[in-house]
């Protein structure tokens, strides 16, 4: 009889132990899930920071390159002006090969040495850019509802968009001379080679 009572008392204890073990397991699972979420948030934040840093470095490099190109173009224009008779018509050559994205001037426009005649396509993928903008809208909508992960994703996708758009601005083909545009020989969509004549400018 005593053994039966002891066994009966043992059953609730075992059930409680099993319940406690289950609670510990659930707590560990929740802790692991939280740790995974925090690790992903940290990775997303690092990705956004890296993308922003890359954008800033590229923007600084592009700004320096543009400034150097302007100085070189102005110096060349000054040298050409001394060597070329006033009123002469000179050819503007493409400084690089590529597909023309847009033309910035037309006949009779006044230009400086650094003025862009045309812009080459920067190679940005329009489908990828459209997909990123769609993600941006989705994350923005979720972020408005208080979704913290969506806020982090929104920051990361906006950084990626900025990098892609900056890369897509392309390269300017400068006039290289001070004067008046007489003729533009390229149009958007044309393929040009380095050294190809893209316009003619009359010197003052």
């Amino acid at each position: 009889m005593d053994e039966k009572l002891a066994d009966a008392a043992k059953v609730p204890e075992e059930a409680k132990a099993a319940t406690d073990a289950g609670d510990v397991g659930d707590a560990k699972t929740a802790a692991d899930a939280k740790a995974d979420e925090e690790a992903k948030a940290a990775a997303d934040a690092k990705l956004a920071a890296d993308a922003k840093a890359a954008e800033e470095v590229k923007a600084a490099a592009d700004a320096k390159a543009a400034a150097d190109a302007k100085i070189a173009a102005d110096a060349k224009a000054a040298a050409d002006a001394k060597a070329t008779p006033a009123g002469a018509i000179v050819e503007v050559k493409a400084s690089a090969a590529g597909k023309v994205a847009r033309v910035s001037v037309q006949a009779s426009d006044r230009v400086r040495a650094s003025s862009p005649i045309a812009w080459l396509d920067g190679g940005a993928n329009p489908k990828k850019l459209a997909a990123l903008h769609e993600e941006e809208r989705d994350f923005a909508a979720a972020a408005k509802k208080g979704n913290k992960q969506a806020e982090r994703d929104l920051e990361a996708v906006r950084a990626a968009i900025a990098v892609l758009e900056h890369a897509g601005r392309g390269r300017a083909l400068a006039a290289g001379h001070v004067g008046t545009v007489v003729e533009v020989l390229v149009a958007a969509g044309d393929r040009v080679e380095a050294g190809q004549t893209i316009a003619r400018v009359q010197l003052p």
Side-chain angles (χ1 to χ4, degrees):
M1 183 68 175
D2 291 339
E3 290 180 1
K4 290 183 179 181
L5 290 174
D7 290 342
K10 188 177 179 183
V11 170
E13 291 178 2
E14 291 175 347
K16 183 177 184 302
T19 300
D20 291 343
D23 290 342
V24 170
D26 291 343
K28 185 176 184 303
T29 301
D32 290 344
K34 185 177 180 182
D36 289 343
E37 182 181 349
E38 290 174 349
K40 185 176 186 304
D44 289 342
K46 184 177 184 302
L47 178 64
D50 289 346
K52 185 177 180 182
E55 178 191 355
E56 290 173 349
V57 169
K58 188 175 187 307
D62 288 347
K64 184 179 184 303
D68 291 344
K70 184 177 184 302
I71 292 171
D74 289 343
K76 183 178 182 300
D80 289 345
K82 291 180 180 179
T84 309
I89 295 176
V90 295
E91 294 183 341
V92 177
K93 307 285 188 180
S95 56
K99 182 180 179 181
V100 177
R102 64 185 184 279
V103 175
S104 302
V105 299
Q106 58 186 3
S108 78
D109 283 353
R110 292 277 300 169
V111 292
R112 294 174 299 182
S114 57
S115 298
I117 295 294
W119 290 82
L120 295 182
D121 188 352
N125 187 328
K127 289 184 178 179
K128 183 176 181 180
L129 192 57
L132 286 173
H133 277 302
E134 185 174 347
E135 287 184 15
E136 180 186 25
R137 288 190 292 272
D138 292 342
F139 289 141
K144 284 183 179 180
K145 297 177 181 178
N147 187 320
K148 298 299 182 183
Q149 182 60 48
E151 290 178 5
R152 292 188 287 269
D153 290 337
L154 179 61
E155 184 178 349
V157 79
R158 281 179 172 168
I161 288 172
V163 170
L164 193 60
E165 286 181 339
H166 189 274
R169 289 173 188 167
R171 178 172 180 172
L173 300 179
H177 304 276
V178 175
T180 303
V181 177
V182 174
E183 185 179 13
V184 179
L185 303 174
V186 293
D190 288 352
R191 172 77 189 179
V192 298
E193 300 299 331
Q196 178 180 333
T197 301
I198 60 172
R200 293 188 175 89
V201 172
Q202 185 173 27
L203 302 182

